[in-house]
Amino acid sequence: MTLDAAPELPRISLDPANCPVRQVLDGIGDKWSILVMAALSVGSRRFSELRRDIPDVSQKMLTHTLRKLERDGLVERIVTPTAPPRVDYRLRPLGESLFLRLSGLAAWVIENRAEIDTARSSFDGQD
Amino acid sequence: MTLDAAPELPRISLDPANCPVRQVLDGIGDKWSILVMAALSVGSRRFSELRRDIPDVSQKMLTHTLRKLERDGLVERIVTPTAPPRVDYRLRPLGESLFLRLSGLAAWVIENRAEIDTARSSFDGQD
């Protein structure tokens, strides 16, 4: 099938093989990637600072997520040749522009949370 | 920590207990919910039509997802009292407005896919 609801997307497919919605979800939509980008949206951070910002991320998962974001061109790894070397991470312009879209989604949730809560109470009352 | 990068979100928290980014992901950001909203964005659909639109969703998962979307006030379940009764699903205005934000994200991916692919090739070439 194809869709024509969104102004920027005249026709999109839901076919698993060629579906931009799925590409969002599989490629960049994982929870840790979004939280790391959110943490970096205030400025560059060191690995240890990111671990403090996101208390429930494991060291292994944070390493994996940063590497994935770096590979996608969303995050830059900056090594300062001190002794020991200092490593900082920061959003590239591509990552900033993606995070802006994600923030729009978060803003939607904040704006509409009361309406969702009301709908839930009403639905649960029917059961 | 708090963030002040996005225009609509002066300060948001990444704390698991009170984080709008996490609320997006946990509440409405699951793959099947987004795909069902995408399928409904063209107009109302019956259960069997949704299964055709999203070939890899199971009957059980589609039932669960529709019920969750209905509970959140995003999707409306319309029963027409024919024999047998006919059941259609359609987006409520709340669901339409959420899907619009999600489409913006999908549009971002389409616009920036080439840049991400280039970054990946460059990163993989370094290894």
Side-chain angles (χ1 to χ4, degrees):
Chain A
M1 71 170 292
T2 53
L3 304 172
D4 54 22
E8 300 123 300
L9 290 176
R11 296 177 80 75
I12 65 174
S13 157
L14 293 183
D15 186 311
N18 182 28
C19 170
V21 179
R22 289 174 193 262
Q23 287 163 11
V24 173
L25 300 170
D26 295 341
I28 54 174
D30 73 282
K31 170 178 172 178
W32 299 119
S33 294
I34 295 174
L35 290 171
V36 168
M37 284 191 286
L40 293 176
S41 70
V42 288
S44 69
R45 308 288 280 167
R46 301 171 76 164
F47 190 91
S48 56
E49 292 172 322
L50 289 170
R51 283 212 68 183
R52 271 200 301 276
D53 292 339
I54 310 167
D56 50 345
V57 73
S58 69
Q59 177 155 350
K60 189 178 168 186
M61 182 53 74
L62 182 55
T63 301
H64 170 80
T65 302
L66 283 166
R67 196 172 161 83
K68 193 178 82 62
L69 292 170
E70 194 189 349
R71 179 171 182 262
D72 285 350
L74 300 167
V75 162
E76 185 175 14
R77 185 170 178 273
I78 303 155
V79 181
T80 309
T82 47
R86 178 189 164 119
V87 181
D88 292 272
Y89 297 90
R90 77 169 167 217
L91 285 183
R92 289 184 186 273
L94 193 64
E96 284 172 4
S97 99
L98 173 56
F99 183 71
L100 211 66
R101 296 283 185 139
L102 292 167
S103 299
L105 205 55
W108 185 94
V109 173
I110 294 171
E111 282 159 27
N112 294 284
R113 201 179 165 183
E115 196 171 340
I116 291 173
D117 286 346
T118 303
R120 282 182 182 171
S121 299
S122 162
F123 186 89
D124 293 347
Q126 290 164 14
D127 286 353
Chain B
M1 71 169 294
T2 53
L3 305 173
D4 54 22
E8 300 123 301
L9 290 176
R11 296 176 80 75
I12 65 175
S13 158
L14 292 182
D15 186 311
N18 182 29
C19 171
V21 179
R22 289 175 192 260
Q23 287 163 14
V24 174
L25 301 170
D26 294 341
I28 53 173
D30 73 282
K31 169 180 172 177
W32 300 119
S33 294
I34 295 174
L35 290 171
V36 168
M37 285 191 286
L40 294 176
S41 69
V42 287
S44 70
R45 306 291 278 169
R46 300 172 76 164
F47 191 90
S48 56
E49 292 172 322
L50 289 171
R51 283 212 69 183
R52 270 201 300 278
D53 293 340
I54 310 168
D56 50 344
V57 73
S58 69
Q59 178 156 348
K60 189 178 168 186
M61 182 52 76
L62 183 55
T63 301
H64 170 79
T65 302
L66 283 166
R67 197 174 160 82
K68 192 177 83 62
L69 291 171
E70 195 190 347
R71 179 172 183 260
D72 286 349
L74 300 167
V75 162
E76 185 175 14
R77 185 170 177 272
I78 303 155
V79 182
T80 309
T82 48
R86 179 191 163 115
V87 181
D88 292 272
Y89 297 90
R90 77 168 167 217
L91 284 184
R92 289 183 185 274
L94 193 64
E96 283 172 4
S97 98
L98 173 57
F99 183 70
L100 211 65
R101 295 285 186 137
L102 292 167
S103 299
L105 206 54
W108 185 93
V109 173
I110 293 170
E111 283 160 26
N112 294 284
R113 201 178 165 182
E115 195 170 339
I116 291 173
D117 285 346
T118 304
R120 282 182 183 170
S121 300
S122 162
F123 186 88
D124 294 346
Q126 290 165 16
D127 286 353

